[in-house]
Each structure stands twice: as structure tokens, then as C-alpha cells.
Amino acid sequence: MRVVIAEDNALLREGLVLLLTSAGHDVVAVAGSGPEVVPALVEHRPDVAVLDVRMPPAFRDEGLRAALEARERLPGLPVLVLSQYVEETYAGELLAGGTSGIGYLLKDRVGRVDEFLDALERVAAGGTALDPEVVAELLTRRKDSPIDSLTPREREVLGLMAEGHDNTTIARTLVVTERAVHKHIGNVFLKLRLPPSDSGHRRVLAVLAHLAHAPRV
């Protein structure tokens, strides 16, 4: 898998390069500031980009802006965004631009190597990978939302769905049967007034679209 990394922290950047190359991936370019990101992505057209949200020169949202611009110029470019903290506004803006091939993880997640690599590969394949803490923010900071009608178990299932997990993983995580997961998912879609969908990526997209556009407190 060909990867472009955009991260201003040299230590973390080199750590990512080492981690990805050790896992058999090819890091084709690195960028240390916002203005370097889009040219590198357009030139190399990687299988996936790993981008920090805040980069020089202003350390605001240069990485996110670069991700959005790159996806406009290279439709479908898979992007995994890293952030130091949960920044719901950035997550919502990223999701609003289309949720296929999108990931948003906290930097702490990089230290959990297997989880990080799994998320990266899921995003590169066109799937979704949202950090559990980001999903928690999307689930709780809503007002007058049908989410309030979900049972605790249904909220757990919805959260895992939004993170991008399939039925098998959800069942294993919650220690229930896949049949029970399927039933909970049906209830979630019914209560959120979402159209029925197959078990797969379109289901995740529907859930994320609902979370991204629901009113916030």
C-alpha cells in the first residue's frame, strides 16, 4: 500500500514511517507543513493519506483543509486524519464531504499498533474508521434526536457501527451472537428513521451521515 504522511512533529512522523514500512507498506512521500500536503498527494496519488489536523504555518486546520482540497482534486482519495484532541467540528466537516474512505483518529491510537493498522487498511479499502472518542462526542452532543430513544445496548451497537466495524466484530466485542447484532441494527435503523440497508459500507455511511448532520447541543 502506498502512503503519504503529513505530520509536522518530526518524531511522530518518523515513527509513522517506521511503523508503516515495518508493516510492509510503502511511504512514498512525507510533508511537514500544510502547503506541502496537496502537491505531494497530487504528485504521488497514494492509496491512502495520513494527515495531522493542525500543521504549520498557523497550526489551525491546515491538514484538514489539505485533506478536503485533495479529495476534491482526487475524488475518492482515502484519508486518515490524526488529531491530538477530539475536535468535533473538524470531524463533522470531514464527514460532510463524504464518508467513503475516511478516518479520524486521536494520535494516542497510533500507539495501539494493531488498531491503527487495521483502521488504515479499512480506510484505504474505502471504509470508515472513527475513533471511539469521536463517535462518543457525535452520539452525546445532540439535542432532540431519535438517538435518545435507543437502549444502552443499541447505542453500543450504533457506536461500533459508526467506528466502521462489521457485524462479526461487533458481536465479538459485545460478547453476543451475530443474530442479536442484526436485530439491534434493525432497531437502530427503525428508531433513527433511516432506510433499511444491507450489512456493509452503505449502512455505515447512512449512520455517519445521520450523526454528522444531527443538531448539536
Side-chain angles (χ1 to χ4, degrees):
M1 188 162 63
R2 301 171 68 254
V3 186
V4 167
I5 297 172
E7 167 61 56
D8 66 284
N9 183 300
L11 185 60
L12 179 56
R13 184 171 65 243
E14 292 307 311
L16 285 168
V17 171
L18 180 60
L19 171 61
L20 294 177
T21 54
S22 298
H25 302 305
D26 182 14
V27 178
V28 295
V30 296
S33 68
E36 300 174 28
V37 178
V38 174
L41 293 174
V42 171
E43 177 182 354
H44 294 281
R45 296 175 179 265
D47 298 310
V48 62
V50 179
L51 309 177
D52 186 10
V53 169
R54 299 186 179 190
M55 300 186 68
F59 293 98
R60 292 179 181 172
D61 59 358
E62 287 83 356
L64 177 70
R65 295 292 156 216
L68 295 174
E69 181 181 345
R71 281 174 66 87
E72 287 182 1
R73 297 177 64 173
L74 301 171
L77 172 70
V79 172
L80 176 59
V81 171
L82 301 179
S83 179
Q84 189 69 40
Y85 309 103
V86 177
E87 299 175 280
E88 187 188 351
T89 300
Y90 293 157
E93 191 165 352
L94 189 66
L95 291 171
T99 50
S100 176
I102 285 291
Y104 188 105
L105 297 181
L106 296 184
K107 289 186 177 181
D108 288 347
R109 200 69 53 184
V110 177
R112 303 173 188 178
V113 175
D114 290 341
E115 289 184 29
F116 173 72
L117 291 176
D118 177 68
L120 183 69
E121 291 169 5
R122 197 157 68 238
V123 169
T128 307
L130 288 187
D131 195 282
E133 292 190 36
V134 175
V135 173
E137 286 288 320
L138 291 171
L139 285 173
T140 58
R141 296 183 63 184
R142 308 288 136 185
K143 61 179 182 180
D144 302 325
S145 169
I147 289 175
D148 295 335
S149 67
L150 301 182
T151 67
R153 177 63 85 187
E154 289 165 354
R155 289 174 68 90
E156 287 180 314
V157 170
L158 174 60
L160 290 167
M161 286 169 60
E163 289 171 32
H165 296 300
D166 59 20
N167 286 13
T168 301
T169 302
I170 293 173
R172 185 169 61 249
T173 301
L174 299 180
V175 195
V176 297
T177 65
E178 288 192 45
R179 181 176 181 180
V181 170
H182 181 76
K183 180 178 179 180
H184 288 311
I185 289 173
N187 290 338
V188 167
F189 269 71
L190 181 64
K191 291 180 180 180
L192 296 187
R193 298 190 290 275
L194 292 170
S197 181
D198 58 358
S199 59
H201 187 54
R202 283 186 292 175
R203 175 188 75 182
V204 179
L205 298 186
V207 172
L208 291 176
H210 178 86
L211 295 177
H213 295 97
R216 286 180 290 177
V217 174

